[in-house]
Amino acid sequence: MNHIFIYFIKFYQKWISPIFPKTCRYYPTCSEYAYLEFKYNFFLIALINTILRILRCNQLFKGGFDHPIIKKEIKNVSIIIRNNKNNFKFWLVPYKKNKFYIIKNFKNTKEK
């Protein structure tokens, strides 16, 4: 199910979003937030979080930074340094036990 929603989100980002002015009150944008939710969370959790985010994206809320939270168990934490290059796509910033904010790496913004 997640793949279907990711396909629609990518379609929206490429063909529909450029037609309209940029009005999202949050960073990352609502479509990028939804993409990350569906890519890294279970379907039902991603759907609920995306709907709540879209409902918050209006003039009644202040806006600001609102990164998705993913649940991931990390057993071995190791740092790999290769020629001082950042070859990773996302930062995982601890939120609670086994929960992390997922933040896009600005140096590698192209999705492969």
Side-chain angles (χ1 to χ4, degrees), residues 10-12 35 37 50 58 66 72 84 90 97 111:
K10 286 296 184 183
F11 178 82
Y12 169 82
Y35 172 75
E37 281 285 343
T50 300
N58 61 51
D66 184 21
K72 187 166 189 81
N84 293 329
F90 300 102
K97 183 179 179 182
E111 192 83 17

Side-chain angles (χ1 to χ4, degrees), residues 77-90:
V77 178
S78 61
I79 300 173
I80 300 172
I81 301 173
R82 295 181 186 167
N83 300 329
N84 293 329
K85 292 183 181 180
N86 295 333
N87 295 327
F88 51 90
K89 294 180 184 178
F90 300 102

Side-chain angles (χ1 to χ4, degrees), residues 25-112:
R25 303 177 70 79
Y26 289 99
Y27 178 82
T29 63
C30 293
S31 61
E32 185 67 24
Y33 181 91
Y35 172 75
L36 293 172
E37 281 285 343
F38 282 107
K39 188 166 183 179
Y40 295 106
N41 275 332
F42 295 111
F43 173 74
L44 189 58
I45 294 170
L47 183 65
I48 291 170
N49 288 341
T50 300
I51 290 171
L52 291 174
R53 167 67 182 270
I54 291 171
L55 290 175
R56 285 193 314 262
C57 193
N58 61 51
Q59 294 80 12
L60 300 177
F61 292 88
K62 189 175 182 179
F65 293 98
D66 184 21
H67 295 283
I69 297 172
I70 63 168
K71 186 173 183 179
K72 187 166 189 81
E73 187 174 328
I74 298 177
K75 294 180 181 176
N76 296 327
V77 178
S78 61
I79 300 173
I80 300 172
I81 301 173
R82 295 181 186 167
N83 300 329
N84 293 329
K85 292 183 181 180
N86 295 333
N87 295 327
F88 51 90
K89 294 180 184 178
F90 300 102
W91 293 88
L92 292 178
V93 179
Y95 171 65
K96 289 182 180 177
K97 183 179 179 182
N98 294 334
K99 290 188 178 181
F100 299 89
Y101 289 109
I102 184 165
I103 301 174
K104 188 181 256 187
N105 183 10
F106 289 112
K107 292 184 180 181
N108 289 337
T109 55
K110 280 197 168 183
E111 192 83 17
K112 292 181 181 175

